Amino acid sequence: MKGRYFTSESVTEGHPDKVADRISDAVLDSVLEDDPQGRVACETFVSTGLVLIGGEITTETYVDIPTVARNTILDVGYNDNTYGFNGEDCAVLTSIDEQSPDIYQGVSEAQEIREAQGEKNHYDELGAGDQGIVYGYACKETKSYMPLPITLAHRLTKKLAKARKTGQVPHLRPDGKSQVTIEYEEKEPIRADTVILAAQHDPELDEGALAQKLIEKVIRPVIGRWLDGDTDIFVNSSGKFVKGGPPADAGMTGRKIIVDTYGGYGSHGGGAYSGKDPTKVDRSGSYMARYVAKNIVASGVSEECEVQIAYTIGKANPLAVTIDTFGTSAVGDDRIVEAAKDVFDMRPAAIIDKFQLRRPLYAPLSAYGHFGREDLGLPWEKTDKKDELREKLL
């Protein structure tokens, strides 16, 4: 053990938990497409031949939820009965109710509006959809300001999925996982210590030949210079991976929250994102926390930053904002908090407006992470506030 080691994992969109996440987000997108004010809290469970979708949806539009679910499953790649799960003929059950009127009241008319005297602020109209704490994180390890282990783990699973879809590696099936361990020295990443890839495949495939092909076509192109002669590489370390997806392991919305965020770096408030409309601060507040953290690091104020925001249901303004730069800033964290409060409006309505969150953009986020996604042009990944922060703090 020469240094410090950190490990993160990722999964493909064919992993059962990610199938569930994608269905929930596809339902959300379908509501927002015609009804931007719709309220959605949609949960999905998938197992052998079964999809169960439940939750609370309040909307003025109609969504054919079973069709949305089937199309999502087919798009992921479960389109063959030999996989044990097929979007064409799996059972789809729904149990949907409207949002609780008590919650609806608190969200639609925040405490600040109820108690306001005289002129009222538009951004005070929307209360947080629940109590909770959310976290955002950023560091300088990669150009996307994400930790290296989760960045490489996501790249592996995306590359694996692409190899399946394009036929670059034939006979692959939708389920798959990756895991990357990076060795650090003096807080700097120096090498990949261990790389793991699990790829579901057809039963007749030779495991040895598949492993070699995945090493050459997926692992080496992704891990690149981080590999060395001492890196341990494991491909389908159980020997084979034929049975996968929902028939092998039941999937549920919200069970991959660490994969969705920073791979275990920093903290997590515990709330999942998928299937939730942006009035839920689990989702919108986390996006804002990432935006704040990334701009702080991009400004040069610190090398690393974690932001915590605390909310309570029915109140627009956060209860507290806490920032930890882990000793990497010459500026006190308390000063950074005050500057962040001046620069960033963390009320739910302001976040929704800033990031234009009442639109169908969520299904692509259901796999490969919600942060550091340079392929999607996400508004919370911009660093447009870095100059203002620098002027206030440096």
Side-chain angles (χ1 to χ4, degrees):
M1 296 285 287
K2 294 182 293 182
R4 171 179 173 264
Y5 296 79
F6 198 89
T7 304
S8 295
E9 70 163 350
S10 178
V11 296
T12 67
E13 66 258 44
H15 185 281
D17 292 331
K18 283 289 141 199
V19 174
D21 281 344
R22 183 158 293 219
I23 292 170
S24 293
D25 275 334
V27 171
L28 171 62
D29 281 348
S30 297
V31 170
L32 295 179
E33 186 172 5
D34 291 327
D35 181 9
Q37 302 299 319
R39 302 277 176 83
V40 179
C42 178
E43 311 291 341
T44 303
F45 168 82
V46 295
S47 188
T48 306
L50 173 66
V51 178
L52 175 60
I53 303 168
E56 295 77 44
I57 298 177
T58 301
T59 179
E60 298 296 324
T61 191
Y62 170 75
V63 174
D64 185 347
I65 292 177
T67 297
V68 170
R70 293 185 189 282
N71 289 341
T72 301
I73 294 164
L74 293 170
D75 184 61
V76 166
Y78 288 107
N79 54 11
D80 188 325
N81 284 330
T82 62
Y83 296 172
F85 191 67
N86 187 345
E88 292 283 1
D89 56 15
C90 62
V92 180
L93 306 179
T94 62
S95 179
I96 303 294
D97 202 351
E98 290 189 340
Q99 186 178 60
S100 160
D102 299 335
I103 297 174
Y104 189 91
Q105 172 183 299
V107 174
S108 300
E109 188 178 50
Q111 177 183 329
E112 288 86 342
I113 289 293
R114 297 195 300 271
E115 297 177 352
Q117 302 293 325
E119 187 176 348
K120 300 178 181 180
N121 188 300
H122 165 67
Y123 287 149
D124 281 336
E125 293 177 359
L126 186 70
D130 202 350
Q131 72 176 48
I133 53 174
V134 297
Y135 287 90
Y137 178 84
C139 64
K140 286 193 171 180
E141 284 186 20
T142 64
K143 67 176 184 177
S144 62
Y145 296 90
M146 288 288 286
L148 182 62
I150 189 64
T151 298
L152 294 178
H154 281 324
R155 288 177 184 171
L156 281 174
T157 49
K158 287 181 72 175
K159 185 76 170 176
L160 177 62
K162 184 176 180 180
R164 170 179 65 88
K165 293 173 182 177
T166 62
Q168 185 182 26
V169 179
H171 309 295
L172 292 176
R173 292 182 175 183
D175 201 354
K177 302 178 76 171
S178 70
Q179 187 170 291
V180 178
T181 301
I182 295 294
E183 181 181 356
Y184 290 79
E185 193 172 88
E186 300 294 330
K187 285 195 169 185
E188 292 293 325
I190 58 173
R191 58 182 290 273
D193 182 74
T194 308
V195 178
I196 301 172
L197 192 65
Q200 188 189 13
H201 59 86
D202 291 347
E204 69 273 10
L205 211 59
D206 176 79
E207 285 85 10
L210 174 63
Q212 193 57 42
K213 186 164 287 190
L214 289 174
I215 290 171
E216 295 303 320
K217 299 291 186 181
V218 177
I219 293 176
R220 292 195 182 281
V222 168
I223 308 299
R225 69 183 181 90
W226 301 105
L227 292 171
D228 63 22
D230 293 325
T231 301
D232 289 322
I233 298 176
F234 300 96
V235 177
N236 287 352
S237 52
S238 68
K240 65 178 182 178
F241 184 7
V242 173
K243 188 174 183 178
D249 186 11
M252 294 181 66
T253 300
R255 287 205 303 197
K256 286 292 178 285
I257 56 177
I258 301 303
V259 172
D260 286 341
T261 53
Y262 307 101
Y265 254 79
S267 305
H268 197 295
Y273 303 161
S274 289
K276 295 177 181 178
D277 75 77
T279 65
K280 280 72 173 175
V281 289
D282 283 341
R283 176 163 233 156
S284 54
S286 295
Y287 294 167
M288 174 53 73
R290 161 65 175 174
Y291 181 59
V292 175
K294 186 173 182 180
N295 275 273
I296 289 170
V297 175
S299 73
V301 170
S302 69
E303 298 285 317
E304 186 180 9
C305 181
E306 181 180 88
V307 176
Q308 183 202 69
I309 311 173
Y311 292 94
T312 188
I313 189 168
K315 185 174 173 58
N317 287 283
L319 302 179
V321 177
T322 306
I323 290 176
D324 189 349
T325 58
F326 305 96
T328 65
S329 174
V331 180
D333 289 346
D334 290 345
R335 274 194 62 202
I336 300 174
V337 168
E338 293 308 311
K341 287 179 178 179
D342 287 342
V343 173
F344 302 96
D345 193 334
M346 303 179 200
R347 292 172 292 181
I351 298 170
I352 290 169
D353 185 52
K354 173 71 176 176
F355 299 148
Q356 298 180 10
L357 296 179
R358 293 192 188 276
R359 56 192 171 106
L361 57 81
Y362 299 106
L365 295 169
S366 60
Y368 314 118
H370 293 244
F371 308 115
R373 295 294 300 274
E374 296 175 316
D375 55 321
L376 297 178
L378 301 171
W380 53 88
E381 291 297 316
K382 293 181 179 179
T383 55
D384 53 337
K385 297 294 185 179
K386 62 182 180 182
D387 293 337
E388 189 175 353
L389 284 166
R390 188 183 298 117
E391 289 176 6
K392 284 181 175 291
L393 293 166
L394 297 179

